[in-house]
Amino acid sequence: MRPISLGNVSYKVIIKILARRLRSVMEKLVRPTQCSFVLGRQSSDNIIITQEVIHSMRNKKGRKGWMAIKIDLEKAYDILKWNFIEDTLSDIGLPSQFISTIYSCISSARMRVLWNGEALDEFSPSRSIQQGDPISPYIFVLCMERLSQLISAAVEHGFWKPIKLNRESPDLSHLCFADDLILFAEATMDQANDIKRVLKAFCNSSGQRVSNDKTRVFFSRNVGNHVRSQISSTLQFSRTGDLGKYFGVPLIHSKVSKIIYSDIINKMNLRLNSWKASSLSLAGRATLVRSVLSSLPSYTIQTTLIPISTSNLVDRKCRNFLWGETEHSRKIYLINWKDLSKPKASGGLDIRHTCDVNQAFMMKNGWGLVEKKDALCARVIRAKYNCGSDLLPRVERKNKSSNL
């Protein structure tokens, strides 16, 4: 059962004020490995870093192997202990009145269970933060920062051996986006036991639980099957050769092909199946193409260079819908697609080519190496590809480079 969050106007005003004040200091309280609900940080940074680590693991050679663990937390918001929240806010050093106000807000909840349509007696919970509250994401991120502190302490004392993509690369032990957590470490039994102890200590104090059924372990190519089985058995996590998606973006574990990005086409087909092109005017179809269809791939193509065949297929589906073409009826294209992609001021419909948008996003990532030189993502990319420490990085395309 999951509770429904209800609150009156006074509660919403107070919690909104507290959330805004807390948001202004989040960047100073949270480490660079956490990118959610912090101004100036984006999920695309963690996606790029994870993809670069997976790419290096695919090509890893030598005796030392690596592992990446994609952690799944069970009902993260619903089982967070209140005393852990209070202790976290106090440990940060927030004013006592501010802490007591937050605690009063989250502990004032009262619940009733509807059983066969009848409301049972009212009771008070002893844990959880409400879904939908403006302050809940910030509280949860600060609580997850306690796990980051445990991991960082284990790294500093030499118990946890993080991944280094090369000698100049920063240590990569974990990445967080709220309750989405991925861990990186050397693939040894000692490391597996240390990871298990750290997770157990955090879960016991916070009330969180790791879902063993949904958590997966991915190993680099130079880790033997016997070691993989031992580590997987110790951690009680299933091993996999493909971590699937990370924040909705597929992690590339093999040669890039249009099959990897088939979800983009599937999403477009679902939208097209729900629309009737014959019942819409040309202006209506143009609006849907510009605002919906051409925007569906935008999230995925921010962090990776997709194949030309996938870009062309996206454009073809946009063209077919614009002119009302279906599987059973062919239409004549009255205007060249290049002319339609021009800005409205130049006589076009401002429908952009997917390939051009993809290239623009890649240029934006490249500019991030200059504008945010000290950011974790920029440091990882610069170190891995030996871009140098100058303001303008020296980027050379190599055969073994990733698809970034």
Side-chain angles (χ1 to χ4, degrees):
M1 297 182 182
R2 293 204 173 189
I4 300 175
S5 301
L6 301 175
N8 56 27
V9 175
S10 301
Y11 174 83
K12 292 181 179 180
V13 170
I14 294 173
I15 210 73
K16 187 70 174 180
I17 294 173
L18 296 174
R20 287 192 175 184
R21 292 185 177 181
L22 192 57
R23 180 178 60 180
S24 62
V25 296
M26 286 295 292
E27 188 177 2
K28 300 178 181 178
L29 302 177
V30 179
R31 298 170 188 267
T33 53
Q34 175 68 259
C35 66
S36 62
F37 305 105
V38 180
L39 292 175
R41 301 183 190 177
Q42 300 176 346
S43 60
S44 59
D45 294 341
N46 278 15
I47 295 173
I48 291 173
I49 294 174
T50 304
Q51 184 57 67
E52 291 299 331
V53 172
I54 298 299
H55 174 262
S56 296
M57 293 177 72
R58 286 167 44 202
N59 302 315
K60 178 66 176 173
K61 298 179 181 179
R63 296 181 179 179
K64 292 183 179 180
W66 294 339
M67 60 180 173
I69 309 173
K70 190 178 179 183
I71 301 291
D72 184 88
L73 297 177
E74 295 181 357
K75 299 180 181 180
Y77 278 39
D78 299 332
I79 57 178
L80 194 61
K81 293 180 179 179
W82 288 348
N83 58 353
F84 182 77
I85 296 174
E86 188 176 18
D87 182 65
T88 299
L89 298 178
S90 178
D91 185 61
I92 291 172
L94 297 177
S96 57
Q97 185 177 0
F98 188 84
I99 297 173
S100 62
T101 306
I102 292 178
Y103 188 81
S104 299
C105 289
I106 64 177
S107 62
S108 62
R110 299 292 182 270
M111 296 184 180
R112 288 177 182 267
V113 176
L114 291 177
W115 188 263
N116 294 330
E118 181 181 357
L120 302 182
D121 295 338
E122 187 178 77
F123 65 94
S124 300
S126 60
R127 59 176 65 194
S128 84
I129 50 179
Q130 297 183 16
Q131 297 275 2
D133 270 5
I135 202 171
S136 295
Y138 302 112
I139 292 176
F140 187 80
V141 167
L142 291 176
C143 291
M144 289 298 295
E145 185 64 16
R146 299 288 293 274
L147 175 60
S148 296
Q149 293 176 356
L150 286 175
I151 295 175
S152 299
V155 172
E156 291 175 1
H157 289 84
F159 301 120
W160 189 307
K161 297 181 181 178
I163 288 178
K164 289 178 69 72
L165 303 187
N166 57 21
R167 293 181 179 178
E168 290 76 23
S169 172
D171 294 337
L172 296 174
S173 57
H174 66 287
L175 294 173
C176 302
F177 185 86
D179 59 337
D180 287 317
L181 178 66
I182 186 165
L183 309 178
F184 305 112
E186 188 177 321
T188 62
M189 285 297 300
D190 291 338
Q191 291 292 284
N193 290 322
D194 291 334
I195 291 173
K196 192 174 182 178
R197 281 194 291 268
V198 169
L199 291 177
K200 184 178 180 180
F202 174 73
C203 291
N204 290 338
S205 58
S206 65
Q208 296 290 310
R209 289 196 301 266
V210 177
S211 176
N212 294 342
D213 296 333
K214 296 182 180 180
T215 301
R216 297 289 182 267
V217 186
F218 174 75
F219 297 94
S220 59
R221 58 182 299 181
N222 61 332
V223 179
N225 288 328
H226 180 66
V227 177
R228 298 187 185 196
S229 299
Q230 283 185 323
I231 293 176
S232 178
S233 177
T234 300
L235 294 173
Q236 297 181 347
F237 302 152
S238 301
R239 59 177 182 174
T240 181
D242 191 335
L243 288 176
K245 293 183 178 181
Y246 186 59
F247 299 154
V249 178
L251 295 175
I252 303 172
H253 294 80
S254 58
K255 185 178 180 181
V256 178
S257 64
K258 62 181 181 180
I259 298 177
I260 296 176
Y261 301 100
S262 58
D263 281 352
I264 296 176
I265 308 302
N266 294 336
K267 289 179 181 178
M268 296 186 70
N269 290 333
L270 288 175
R271 291 298 181 94
L272 290 172
N273 292 335
S274 62
W275 297 337
K276 292 184 178 180
S278 59
S279 62
L280 296 171
S281 64
L282 178 61
R285 295 195 297 269
T287 301
L288 287 175
V289 168
R290 185 169 55 251
S291 60
V292 181
L293 277 185
S294 60
S295 301
L296 285 176
S298 297
Y299 180 73
T300 302
I301 63 179
Q302 287 184 62
T303 55
T304 185
L305 192 64
I306 64 174
I308 297 296
S309 58
T310 302
S311 300
N312 293 337
L313 185 55
V314 171
D315 292 341
R316 187 184 311 133
K317 287 188 174 295
C318 291
R319 287 197 303 268
N320 293 345
F321 179 76
L322 177 65
W323 297 114
E325 182 174 308
T326 63
E327 296 179 357
H328 307 289
S329 62
R330 304 281 296 179
K331 297 290 183 178
I332 299 175
Y333 298 164
L334 303 178
I335 303 175
N336 193 297
W337 184 247
K338 292 182 179 179
D339 296 330
L340 291 177
S341 62
K342 294 179 180 179
K344 291 183 178 180
S346 302
L349 293 178
D350 201 19
I351 301 174
R352 298 172 297 178
H353 288 282
T354 306
C355 184
D356 295 340
V357 177
N358 195 191
Q359 292 286 349
F361 278 124
M362 294 300 101
M363 291 296 295
K364 179 184 177 181
N365 294 335
W367 177 247
L369 300 179
V370 179
E371 184 183 22
K372 300 178 180 179
K373 180 182 176 182
D374 297 327
L376 179 62
C377 180
R379 290 163 53 203
V380 170
I381 298 297
R382 280 175 171 266
K384 180 176 178 178
Y385 296 104
N386 299 318
C387 297
S389 58
D390 298 336
L391 180 62
L392 293 177
R394 301 187 301 272
V395 181
E396 297 181 4
R397 185 69 179 178
K398 300 179 181 180
N399 294 332
K400 292 185 177 181
S401 298
S402 69
N403 221 44
L404 175 62

